[in-house]
Amino acid sequence: EPEVTQTPSHQVTQMGQEVILRCVPISNHLYFYWYRQILGQKVEFLVSFYNNEISEKSEIFDDQFSVERPDGSNFTLKIRSTKLEDSAMYFCASKEDKIAKNIQYFGAGTRLSVL
Amino acid sequence: KNEVEQSPQNLTAQEGEFITINCSYSVGISALHWLQQHPGGGIVSLFMLSSGKKKHGRLIATINIQEKHSSLHITASHPRDSAVYICAVMSRGGADGLTFGKGTHLIIQP
């Protein structure tokens, strides 16, 4: 069964460093998402992406964050200057198309630890 | 902004019991997801509903749009069902990102 793949599974970084989290969505999917889950808290929406541009973003997704689909298969989340509070599990998801009946498929997540 | 509430927060049951997890939301939606999260952290989509009822194996999900409420049922529960079950909604009006509940931590004891 096709799946969303995220790498790395765990990323450790120093505060102030840039990190790039990578995702390979399911190949025929057109809508892509990033979510995060701080330890012990609920999952929160960060951003959705379609047709090479952001279609929606939350208030969490500030100027420190950016997303890109550099090569038609990868979908990346970049955090420019990490803060301690960016430590969380980051999930990528993809969906086939816009209609409400389509399910979002999630990757296994990348655990980001900012020291 | 949609508020998603789940109950109970924690549930411990014996193997074989019938399990019900509830979800309510505050604003009309286009669809509701039930998701499962295992201790390793990965999230698996179980169902997406916009009306009525869906069944997959021992799992049944129902939604009442008028009452803004959904339930997830597990029949003949098994220890491998132990996980966090999360309700997430897609609001109307084109917004595509999901709004999540806090989850229900389910433990099925043998």
Side-chain angles (χ1 to χ4, degrees):
Chain A
E1 184 175 314
E3 60 181 20
V4 176
T5 306
Q6 289 187 244
T7 55
S9 56
H10 190 193
Q11 173 89 48
V12 182
T13 190
Q14 295 290 323
M15 191 170 57
Q17 294 296 304
E18 174 184 285
V19 294
I20 297 175
L21 309 183
R22 301 181 192 280
C23 170
V24 179
I26 294 172
S27 62
N28 64 330
H29 286 191
L30 300 177
Y31 288 81
F32 314 111
Y33 308 85
W34 283 102
Y35 296 90
R36 79 170 185 192
Q37 185 178 31
I38 294 170
L39 187 64
Q41 297 186 22
K42 62 183 177 181
V43 180
E44 301 170 289
F45 168 71
L46 291 177
V47 66
S48 60
F49 190 87
Y50 168 71
N51 200 25
N52 280 320
E53 60 183 25
I54 291 172
S55 48
E56 186 191 1
K57 60 183 181 178
S58 72
E59 58 268 22
I60 302 168
F61 193 88
D62 62 22
D63 292 344
Q64 292 296 316
F65 291 91
S66 62
V67 289
E68 197 177 36
R69 189 157 159 80
D71 57 13
S73 61
N74 288 285
F75 178 51
T76 62
L77 175 69
K78 182 192 290 185
I79 309 175
R80 285 193 186 82
S81 177
T82 49
K83 303 187 278 279
L84 294 176
E85 53 265 36
D86 294 326
S87 295
M89 191 78 143
Y90 288 82
F91 293 101
C92 173
S94 70
K95 187 170 82 164
E96 190 170 342
D97 62 36
K98 177 71 173 173
I99 63 172
K101 290 189 179 359
N102 284 150
I103 207 162
Q104 290 186 26
Y105 291 86
F106 287 79
T110 292
R111 185 171 300 283
L112 177 65
S113 299
V114 182
L115 306 178
Chain B
K1 184 182 172 186
N2 222 329
E3 300 293 334
V4 180
E5 299 290 336
Q6 286 186 237
S7 63
Q9 285 189 321
N10 297 284
L11 177 58
T12 299
Q14 295 297 312
E15 183 174 355
E17 285 189 40
F18 181 82
I19 303 299
T20 296
I21 299 170
N22 296 298
C23 173
S24 60
Y25 50 91
S26 57
V27 178
I29 61 170
S30 57
L32 180 144
H33 287 244
W34 280 103
L35 307 152
Q36 182 189 56
Q37 186 172 32
H38 277 282
I43 293 174
V44 175
S45 290
L46 299 174
F47 294 103
M48 192 174 71
L49 298 161
S50 51
S51 63
K53 177 179 174 178
K54 286 191 177 178
K55 184 174 189 293
H56 185 248
R58 294 180 294 105
L59 300 177
I60 303 165
T62 63
I63 189 167
N64 185 321
I65 296 292
Q66 286 73 32
E67 294 189 3
K68 297 186 178 63
H69 181 269
S70 175
S71 293
L72 176 69
H73 306 285
I74 305 175
T75 61
S77 59
H78 190 276
R80 65 174 173 267
D81 297 326
S82 298
V84 177
Y85 291 85
I86 303 172
C87 169
V89 301
M90 185 186 308
S91 298
R92 286 197 203 120
D96 208 21
L98 296 175
T99 302
F100 290 74
K102 290 183 179 178
T104 294
H105 189 193
L106 174 66
I107 297 173
I108 303 297
Q109 294 177 334

